[in-house]
Amino acid sequence: MSETTKLRKFIVSTFSLNGFTVQERACAYLVQQLEPLESSEDRDQWLDKIVDYVRVSNTNDGNIVTYELLSKALKFCCNLQILNDEDILHVTPAYKLPRYRYCPTTKKFQRIKSETSMFGDAQSKISQYVDRYTVIRQRMARIKTTADGTLNQPLTIGDKIRDVDYLLSSGACKKFDLSSKSDSILLLGVLVQLKEGGRHYLEDPTGAIPLDISATDFQRGYFTENCCVLAEGRYCSDRRVFFVTNMALPPSERAEISKIYFGESNNFSDNNDLNLKSCNPKLLEYEKRKNRMIVFVSDVFLDDPKVLRKFHTLLSSFNDLAPVAIVMMGDYLSCRIPSHAYAQELKTHLTQLGHFLHDNTPGLCKHTMFVLLSGPGDRYSGAAGASILPRPLIPEFLTEEFRRLVPRCIFTTNPCRMQYCTQQIHIIRADGLMKKTANYDIRHGSMDRKKTTTVTESDDDIIKNYIKTLESQSHLITVPLDVCPTYWPLASHSLSLYPMPDVVCIADANAPEYSTVNSNDSNSSGSKISSSSGCIFFNPSSFSKNKYTFSVYITAQRQIEDSNLPDDEYDTDTTLMESEDTVATVGNRRKVN
């Protein structure tokens, strides 16, 4: 048997084992391309790359590998050897994010290819909660509990969870005894208020049941309406009420475990080529070799001379060793600007900032990507849509001059997602999210939400409970829609935290400055707030309102350094970085080598 025939059979069998059928023309073309390679290992590596590309490609040919698809795969695999700017840093706005929905029947996440509008119907409002419930439910099927299953095998939480309609069956209608801990029932559902009067219900896709939480032992976290919780207790069939003895938030899951079950698809971009390139070993090598920075600045009032002077100082300090990106988040103008003049003022001050960057910071303009998000107080689109998430990007007619002066810039939505090499970063700019989540806990009853809570909590306790709530819900918004309104069709995927990203930036001017560390990191300080999911949560606070505070994310070390500029003027030359392998923060913080 000739070498060509052996190679041809090997190609056909490799694709067949992966569920594909190669067309005759495509197979002959691939044989022609791989035949010059002398080593069988090289042929195997190239063939594996081509199969990986074909596997994640969205084509209408089913499992048929056509000549056109194979040509595209070969061209893509050749381009893997070259890294460009888009491979290293990519920003995806909310309306371009791919949508996935978990199918309980196939137990897989399926891509939703239909077009999405910002304004949905009533079904889209229901779907966002059903999607969040099904994601958490499938996650519970993997979290082990005590070994009381068949053949002493450990049960999962999903094995113990019962649906609400089970309570109406004969199996739950036993003699009611609240003190008995045997025969307790575990439910997973969403906390809602279906009727006036303050009574809460637990709702899942099968129905809703009223709750009695007068004697409930609440675990850590915040239990708000529209929040998915685990409730353990007994059902009283006479009164048709579920008496809850224990209530807890669903346990979180680390990203590396979630991605195994999520599949090979990337929820950060709808570009298949970028999804495959994110797994490129060259990107991981670049990420470890280059100790780069991403700077996060929120609330930069461009119309305030003192704030603008400090911001110019910050930009000049980073000019010699430019970070990979500077993320600027609104508000960009103070509240002194009237609404009718806001758009023109914003255009004027953005143009002035562009002139400063073009004339004084050539290093930043050449090597740094500027990412700009709107803030909750930016009123360029009118006051009506100012508080609805996701917020659209700043209109192009206001930014065209800034784009001309600073070509390396991206105006994107709020929230958005950023991918640096293999690291995934979720960014949102919203005020009061932490405070609203704490105040709307159901344990506070019908008190005035605008007042401070009756339970005294330290800032660290509030932050820990808030982070735990976000991790358990796999979602950025855990409060009712009337408190934090969202566009229904975009909310389920643009605000989702599943699978958990590497970094989440929640820029909240009303919350204290914080950053978390990985709970499994042995080098982390015990005094810092830990994250059980392995994700880094941080708040850069307000640059204009909080002593010119900003945050620097060090990519190779995967840690956050919180920094601020002193009130007095200082020489920027003393804070410039000396070498490419040294990362230093400006201001009064120490250097990190």
Short mmCIF file of all heavy atoms in Angstrom, two decimals, residues 10 37-48:
data_model
loop_
_atom_site.label_atom_id
_atom_site.label_comp_id
_atom_site.label_asym_id
_atom_site.label_seq_id
_atom_site.Cartn_x
_atom_site.Cartn_y
_atom_site.Cartn_z
N PHE A 10 -6.08 7.30 6.59
CA PHE A 10 -5.94 7.88 7.93
C PHE A 10 -6.79 9.14 8.07
O PHE A 10 -7.43 9.37 9.10
CB PHE A 10 -4.47 8.20 8.19
CG PHE A 10 -4.21 8.83 9.51
CD1 PHE A 10 -4.36 8.12 10.71
CD2 PHE A 10 -3.83 10.17 9.60
CE1 PHE A 10 -4.14 8.72 11.94
CE2 PHE A 10 -3.59 10.77 10.83
CZ PHE A 10 -3.75 10.04 12.00
N LEU A 37 4.76 16.72 4.38
CA LEU A 37 5.27 16.59 5.74
C LEU A 37 5.84 15.20 5.94
O LEU A 37 5.16 14.19 5.72
CB LEU A 37 4.17 16.85 6.77
CG LEU A 37 3.52 18.25 6.73
CD1 LEU A 37 2.37 18.32 7.73
CD2 LEU A 37 4.55 19.33 7.03
N GLU A 38 7.11 15.13 6.35
CA GLU A 38 7.77 13.83 6.47
C GLU A 38 7.41 13.12 7.77
O GLU A 38 7.28 11.90 7.81
CB GLU A 38 9.29 14.02 6.39
CG GLU A 38 9.75 14.60 5.05
CD GLU A 38 11.25 14.79 5.01
OE1 GLU A 38 11.91 14.53 6.05
OE2 GLU A 38 11.76 15.19 3.95
N SER A 39 7.26 13.89 8.85
CA SER A 39 7.00 13.28 10.16
C SER A 39 5.51 12.99 10.32
O SER A 39 4.64 13.83 10.01
CB SER A 39 7.47 14.22 11.27
OG SER A 39 7.08 13.74 12.53
N SER A 40 5.20 11.79 10.82
CA SER A 40 3.81 11.44 11.08
C SER A 40 3.24 12.25 12.25
O SER A 40 2.03 12.51 12.29
CB SER A 40 3.69 9.95 11.38
OG SER A 40 4.48 9.61 12.52
N GLU A 41 4.09 12.66 13.18
CA GLU A 41 3.63 13.49 14.31
C GLU A 41 3.15 14.85 13.82
O GLU A 41 2.16 15.37 14.31
CB GLU A 41 4.76 13.65 15.33
CG GLU A 41 5.15 12.34 16.03
CD GLU A 41 6.24 12.56 17.04
OE1 GLU A 41 6.73 13.71 17.16
OE2 GLU A 41 6.61 11.58 17.73
N ASP A 42 3.88 15.43 12.85
CA ASP A 42 3.46 16.72 12.30
C ASP A 42 2.11 16.60 11.59
O ASP A 42 1.25 17.47 11.69
CB ASP A 42 4.52 17.25 11.33
CG ASP A 42 5.81 17.64 12.03
OD1 ASP A 42 5.76 17.85 13.26
OD2 ASP A 42 6.87 17.71 11.37
N ARG A 43 1.93 15.49 10.87
CA ARG A 43 0.65 15.29 10.19
C ARG A 43 -0.49 15.15 11.19
O ARG A 43 -1.58 15.69 10.99
CB ARG A 43 0.74 14.03 9.32
CG ARG A 43 1.68 14.15 8.13
CD ARG A 43 1.78 12.83 7.38
NE ARG A 43 2.67 12.93 6.24
CZ ARG A 43 3.01 11.90 5.45
NH1 ARG A 43 2.50 10.69 5.72
NH2 ARG A 43 3.82 12.07 4.44
N ASP A 44 -0.22 14.42 12.29
CA ASP A 44 -1.26 14.25 13.31
C ASP A 44 -1.64 15.58 13.94
O ASP A 44 -2.82 15.86 14.18
CB ASP A 44 -0.77 13.29 14.39
CG ASP A 44 -0.62 11.87 13.86
OD1 ASP A 44 -1.14 11.60 12.78
OD2 ASP A 44 0.03 11.05 14.56
N GLN A 45 -0.63 16.43 14.23
CA GLN A 45 -0.91 17.72 14.86
C GLN A 45 -1.74 18.62 13.94
O GLN A 45 -2.70 19.26 14.38
CB GLN A 45 0.41 18.41 15.23
CG GLN A 45 1.15 17.74 16.38
CD GLN A 45 2.47 18.41 16.69
OE1 GLN A 45 2.83 19.42 16.05
NE2 GLN A 45 3.21 17.87 17.66
N TRP A 46 -1.37 18.67 12.65
CA TRP A 46 -2.12 19.49 11.71
C TRP A 46 -3.54 18.96 11.54
O TRP A 46 -4.50 19.73 11.47
CB TRP A 46 -1.41 19.54 10.36
CG TRP A 46 -0.34 20.58 10.31
CD1 TRP A 46 0.99 20.41 10.56
CD2 TRP A 46 -0.52 21.96 10.00
NE1 TRP A 46 1.66 21.60 10.43
CE2 TRP A 46 0.76 22.58 10.08
CE3 TRP A 46 -1.61 22.74 9.67
CZ2 TRP A 46 0.95 23.93 9.83
CZ3 TRP A 46 -1.42 24.09 9.42
CH2 TRP A 46 -0.16 24.67 9.50
N LEU A 47 -3.67 17.65 11.49
CA LEU A 47 -5.00 17.08 11.31
C LEU A 47 -5.88 17.32 12.54
O LEU A 47 -7.08 17.59 12.40
CB LEU A 47 -4.87 15.57 11.05
CG LEU A 47 -6.12 14.86 10.48
CD1 LEU A 47 -6.59 15.54 9.20
CD2 LEU A 47 -5.82 13.39 10.22
N ASP A 48 -5.30 17.28 13.73
CA ASP A 48 -6.06 17.58 14.95
C ASP A 48 -6.55 19.02 14.95
O ASP A 48 -7.69 19.31 15.36
CB ASP A 48 -5.20 17.31 16.18
CG ASP A 48 -4.96 15.82 16.41
OD1 ASP A 48 -5.73 15.02 15.86
OD2 ASP A 48 -3.99 15.49 17.13
#
